[in-house]
Each structure stands twice: as C-alpha cells, then as structure tokens.
Amino acid sequence: GKWHMGVNCKTHRDHCHHPLNHGFDYFYGMPFTLVNECQGTDDPELAKSLQDTYWFYTQMIILAVFTLVIGKLANLFPVKWKIIIYLAICGILHFVSWFSSYGFTKYWNCILMRNHDITEQPMNLQKTSSKMLKEAITFIERNKHRPFLLFVSLLHVHTPLITTEKFQGRSRHGLYGDNVEEMDWMVGRLLDVIDKEDLRNTTFIYFASDHGGFLEAHRGNSQLGGWNGIYKGGKGMGGWEGGIRVPGIVRWPGVLPAGTVINEPTSLMDIYPTVVQLAGGAVPQDRVMDGHTLVPLVLGTVQHSRHEFLFHYCGVFLHAVRWHQRDSGTVWKAHYATPVFQPEGSGACYRTGICPCFGDGVTHHDPPLLFNLSQDPSEANPLSADTEPLFATVLRRIRRAVEEHRKTLTPVPQQLSPYNNIWKPWLQPCCGTFPFCWCQEENNKA
C-alpha cells in the first residue's frame, strides 16, 4: 500500500528509503503519498502548495546570483566563482521544480512499485485498490504455512477518495462515506481469506488510522476529509483530539474475548514492540523506545497502559502533552501551542488547507491551556487556577515530564527542510528514459 517514506538518497537506484531496506521482504504499492494530481483532477494538491514557494525561492536565488556576479566583475566584493555556481544550480533546481509542478507531478509522484521495480508510472488509480487487495490476498495464501507479517496501508480514506463504480452512491454520507464502505469491504475480504485458510485463531489483527479527519478537504460544498464528531481539530494538528484520537481495533479469536473495550491511552508507536513480542523477538536495547507492547494490556494481565505521558508533536515542535494520572484515572492535557483556525472558531485552517506548526500560524500559551479530558473530551473548557485546585500541581508535573522526555531525544537531520523537499531529478524513480517516465505493468510483462 501507501509507503509514503520515499525511495532514494543519493542516486535514482540506491533505494535507501525503500521498504526492502527497512526489514520488509516484499513490497507492492506507492513509495510516495496519494495526491489529487494522481487522479488528473482540476483541483491540484501538491502543485498548489508548492508552486508559490518554489517560485519565491527561484526569484530570490536568481537575484542573489546576479548581485554576486555583478559584484565579482566590478570588484565590489570578493566572492568565489564556486559559490556563485552553487547558487545558480540551486536556482535552476528550484525553477525546474516550479515548472514541473504544472503538469509532471502525476508522472513523477504517482508510481506503483513491486519490490524494486516500477510497474506503473503513472498508476491507474481506478485499478490500484483492487490490485493491492489481490496482492495482499495472494501474500496470505503464499505464506499461510509459516509465520508472516502483512502490513496493508490502504489508499482509502485518503483524498482524492478514489472509489470504484460498484460503491459509488452506496452511502448516505457522500463520496467519503462511499470510500469508507469500500474500505470496509476490502478489510472484510482480507478477514475472509484469513478465515478460509484456517488462520483465524492464530492471527493477530490490528486496525487503526494514522490521524483524524482532514477537515479542510473540500470540493465545493462537499466535505471530503471525514468528520471528527465532538473532538476539536483534525489532520496535521499536533495537539487537538480530533487530529490524534483514532480507532484502534484488535481481533485475535481464541485468545482475546470479543467485545472487550480497553479505555487506556495507547499509540501507533506501540505496534512495533507488540509485533516484536508476538514474533518472539526483543526490541533494541541501545536506544529509548517510545512505544510499549500492547500484549499484556489486550490479554488483561495488566490493567493500565505503560504510557503515563504522551507527547504530541507538530513537525519538530511539541504542541501538547497528555498525562494519564494513574492513581486517579484522570487524563489531563496541556497545550503549549495551538493552530490559529481560519476562520476563527472553525476548528480547521480552511485558508491554508492544513494548519502550520510554527510561526504566525500558531498561538503559544504560557501558562499552557489545560484540559481535563476525562470530563471534557471536546476540549471546550480550559481550566485555570480559579476553576481547578490541582492546576499548578498538574502543570508542574507535566513540565517535569517534558524535561525528562527531552533528555531522551537525539537530534536528527530535518526531514521537512526546504532542501529535503525540493524535487531532485537525479533521485527521481523512472521506468523509462528520464524525463520520459511512463510504463504500465501489462507492457512490462509483455
């Protein structure tokens, strides 16, 4: 399915970010993310958000190059030609990225791969979901006589909400509802195969989402990104419940009793140590692991999650901290920064398309906004020293937890830096002769 971690580091064939270089033995899916351009829509997503940025940097770099060249030739100030050439190359790259955003996005970003080979470029979105489902089913059938880990990252319910004709109009909740219906059917097909192959009682299944509804996703008056009910905020927000509170459903017949509800805070970071324990392995001991195995919790051998604190980031910025106070069962949350909604009170950033993590797009709070999620899950009533006797005590304990947490962090290169997000032709996966990158799986087989 959707890998969304990229492919290459230094050359177009090094595949350093590829799943096969990160523990997986087989891969079929998208190495990048799903954007509206993959559907050939008139409402571009990636291009729209990048075009202005690329054009601004292009102009600034070109202006700097001209200034340096004139200064060099006129002996106004010393500067090495090497620096000027380097800046000129950066300017050309930004210009090419800006130019390519007007039409090449579909060919260069909408790619299907099987292991290290590109099978479709651009991919046919109408057929992609059925192909991924078929791959998952054949994987189960191929590995049914031995232990296996199958990770299925569906393209549903992600914009542009590709839904086959069979499911269009099925839901009372528009295209998003149709997409949910089709996803439900696909998950059901996979469970049917597990049952049919007599793997039902020996297979641990975990279903979850990576974030809450994308409230800003609209087409006309139609909301395309889901709905978060009573919870405030949505996708891309580092703290509000609507962006981070997601479903978590576990199935393991014969081991876990059906219908059990566990009211404890867990995290998607817990999947890794859970899978490692189930496989009989041990997590690395040379680093701090932020996740904890879920096995004791779902088996009922412990009553409480090991997550006393959860730290909610937006990019590299800590926006909120959740404290599950074990002795009282109360769940507190302190917001250090919150996005500035547009329009105010709307619960989303409709003007920018998604909320920023820093700068003028956020409001910093000192003291932090404090909520008692046990009584106020919609985060509607911030507490104060006047309304909550434990206000100062809770914030002091959370502050100490943040200090302890920060000691465990190791700085890493910025994944979302401008350089890392600029398009680099020499890293572009291509199944033809660059820049003519297009192929279809049927043609490859032929």
Side-chain angles (χ1 to χ4, degrees):
K2 184 164 78 79
W3 175 242
H4 198 167
M5 300 294 284
V7 184
N8 301 312
C9 288
K10 295 180 179 178
T11 72
H12 75 287
R13 292 289 295 174
D14 65 30
H15 292 165
C16 70
H17 297 307
H18 193 280
L20 269 59
N21 274 2
H22 292 274
F24 289 91
D25 301 305
Y26 182 81
F27 171 66
Y28 182 81
M30 291 187 70
F32 308 129
T33 190
L34 182 62
V35 290
N36 288 347
E37 283 88 339
C38 294
Q39 191 183 18
T41 176
D42 294 330
D43 182 26
E45 181 180 356
L46 187 66
K48 184 168 61 176
S49 63
L50 292 177
Q51 279 165 0
D52 291 344
T53 303
Y54 284 148
W55 185 235
F56 173 77
Y57 280 116
T58 300
Q59 293 178 91
M60 292 298 101
I61 294 171
I62 289 173
L63 181 63
V65 169
F66 274 117
T67 303
L68 291 174
V69 168
I70 292 170
K72 174 81 171 174
L73 295 177
N75 291 320
L76 295 176
F77 43 80
V79 62
K80 294 181 179 179
W81 282 111
K82 190 184 293 185
I83 294 174
I84 296 175
I85 291 170
Y86 175 77
L87 271 175
I89 292 171
C90 286
I92 291 169
L93 277 176
H94 276 88
F95 174 79
V96 172
S97 297
W98 169 78
F99 182 78
S100 68
S101 69
Y102 281 90
F104 293 102
T105 302
K106 179 175 181 177
Y107 287 91
W108 291 340
N109 282 277
C110 307
I111 296 172
L112 268 184
M113 297 184 78
R114 177 180 284 105
N115 294 324
H116 289 301
D117 299 322
I118 298 172
T119 61
E120 286 187 30
Q121 190 174 10
M123 62 189 193
N124 182 341
L125 262 190
Q126 293 299 330
K127 297 181 179 179
T128 300
S129 294
S130 60
K131 288 180 178 178
M132 288 183 179
L133 179 60
K134 182 180 177 183
E135 288 281 343
I137 291 172
T138 56
F139 178 87
I140 295 171
E141 293 171 343
R142 198 163 63 241
N143 293 281
K144 61 186 177 183
H145 296 302
R146 60 178 180 175
F148 63 82
L149 168 69
L150 171 61
F151 170 42
V152 183
S153 183
L154 299 168
L155 300 187
H156 301 59
V157 286
H158 194 293
T159 53
L161 297 177
I162 299 305
T163 308
T164 58
E165 191 174 340
K166 176 183 174 184
F167 286 91
Q168 289 175 12
R170 287 273 292 268
S171 168
R172 293 177 298 161
H173 301 285
L175 185 56
Y176 187 89
D178 295 342
N179 210 241
V180 173
E181 294 263 0
E182 185 164 28
M183 177 184 69
D184 183 54
W185 173 81
M186 292 175 72
V187 172
R189 287 280 290 114
L190 291 174
L191 296 182
D192 288 345
V193 174
I194 293 287
D195 293 348
K196 178 186 143 207
E197 300 297 345
D198 200 25
L199 301 172
R200 180 182 177 89
N201 292 342
T202 56
T203 305
F204 179 89
I205 296 170
Y206 184 82
F207 176 89
S209 174
D210 57 347
H211 54 70
F214 183 13
L215 303 182
E216 293 91 347
H218 276 74
R219 186 178 300 149
N221 293 324
S222 301
Q223 188 161 339
L224 302 181
W227 181 62
N228 294 323
I230 67 168
Y231 303 114
K232 186 182 292 183
K235 176 182 179 180
M237 301 181 202
W240 295 120
E241 288 294 275
I244 55 183
R245 186 184 284 242
V246 296
I249 304 170
V250 176
R251 190 187 90 149
W252 196 1
V255 179
L256 306 179
T260 303
V261 176
I262 299 173
N263 231 339
E264 290 287 310
T266 64
S267 164
L268 293 184
M269 295 184 295
D270 298 335
I271 296 175
Y272 171 66
T274 301
V275 167
V276 168
Q277 181 177 350
L278 291 172
V283 297
Q285 299 298 309
D286 60 346
R287 71 204 72 178
V288 174
M289 301 301 297
D290 293 309
H292 304 294
T293 175
L294 295 173
V295 173
L297 193 62
V298 297
L299 289 179
T301 56
V302 300
Q303 300 305 309
H304 297 294
S305 163
R306 287 181 61 189
H307 289 290
E308 184 178 5
F309 293 93
L310 284 170
F311 304 91
H312 303 301
Y313 282 81
C314 188
V316 297
F317 302 96
L318 181 65
H319 274 207
V321 180
R322 178 188 312 259
W323 178 26
H324 188 234
Q325 193 176 6
R326 287 173 180 157
D327 53 356
S328 68
T330 305
V331 180
W332 307 93
K333 188 153 69 155
H335 289 261
Y336 292 94
T338 54
V340 177
F341 294 144
Q342 314 138 10
E344 187 178 348
S346 62
C349 299
Y350 290 104
R351 291 191 201 121
T352 56
I354 197 165
C355 291
C357 296
F358 60 94
D360 295 336
V362 302
T363 301
H364 294 275
H365 304 282
D366 187 15
L369 289 181
L370 182 66
F371 296 93
N372 181 343
L373 296 185
S374 306
Q375 299 175 0
D376 180 24
S378 60
E379 298 173 284
N381 304 300
L383 303 172
S384 67
D386 296 329
T387 60
E388 175 52 64
L390 295 174
F391 183 80
T393 305
V394 170
L395 287 184
R396 197 161 46 243
R397 180 66 187 94
I398 289 176
R399 191 181 307 117
R400 193 162 77 248
V402 171
E403 292 169 0
E404 293 167 358
H405 161 68
R406 283 186 167 143
K407 291 176 186 174
T408 71
L409 300 179
T410 303
V412 295
Q414 285 277 354
Q415 288 180 301
L416 300 179
S417 67
Y419 176 78
N420 281 334
N421 278 270
I422 189 174
W423 177 69
K424 302 177 182 70
W426 60 89
L427 299 183
Q428 176 64 51
C430 183
C431 64
T433 302
F434 184 82
F436 306 105
C437 304
W438 53 77
C439 59
Q440 294 298 319
E441 188 164 23
E442 289 75 15
N443 297 342
N444 290 350
K445 286 180 179 176

